[in-house]
Amino acid sequence: MASLDKVLYTARAHTTGGRDGASRTDDGRLDVTLSSPGTSGSGTNPEQLFAAGYSACFIGALKAVAARQKLALPQDVAIDAEVDLGTLPNAYGIAARLTVHLPGMDRTTAQALVEAAHQVCPYSNATRGNIDVTLTLA
């Protein structure tokens, strides 16, 4: 496992009750009720939070790579993220699918950008070799 060369930011959250509890960040910017997927609870769940986090992070990676390559990224870049919760032998696991929308961008250039972003995105690096991740260019 590679160690970080330099810590740029540390997120801090306090969670109680697990999937049927609550979570709040130390700065108060995130304060959510949690409920298990498929239940009548009114809260979000870890898989939804992971989908939102991964897709937001991946857009950041797209922006960074595009800037480095001096490419104009479409204003309306978007990602539809899906995170599956399922079973493994004797455990639970997740899988992720990201559908990347880069409207108006040449398909070959867009595909190369998605592949380059997948190499620099922190979520992609954290999940690589650990869960199935499928990237699709819309």
Side-chain angles (χ1 to χ4, degrees), residues 13-27:
H14 180 77
T15 302
T16 58
R19 287 181 171 272
D20 294 304
S23 190
R24 185 175 195 279
T25 56
D26 64 337
D27 62 5

Side-chain angles (χ1 to χ4, degrees), residues 28-101:
R29 290 184 179 193
L30 179 70
D31 191 350
V32 295
T33 301
L34 302 168
S35 55
S36 295
T39 66
S40 61
S42 61
T44 188
N45 60 64
E47 291 72 30
Q48 291 173 326
L49 294 168
F50 190 88
Y54 197 169
S55 56
C57 189
F58 201 90
I59 289 174
L62 288 168
K63 290 178 177 181
V65 172
R68 194 177 316 149
Q69 295 179 2
K70 297 186 181 4
L71 293 172
L73 200 61
Q75 282 290 106
D76 47 356
V77 60
I79 294 179
D80 294 318
E82 298 172 280
V83 173
D84 300 321
L85 171 65
T87 58
L88 299 168
N90 303 313
Y92 294 96
I94 60 171
R97 291 180 303 285
L98 302 181
T99 301
V100 182
H101 301 269

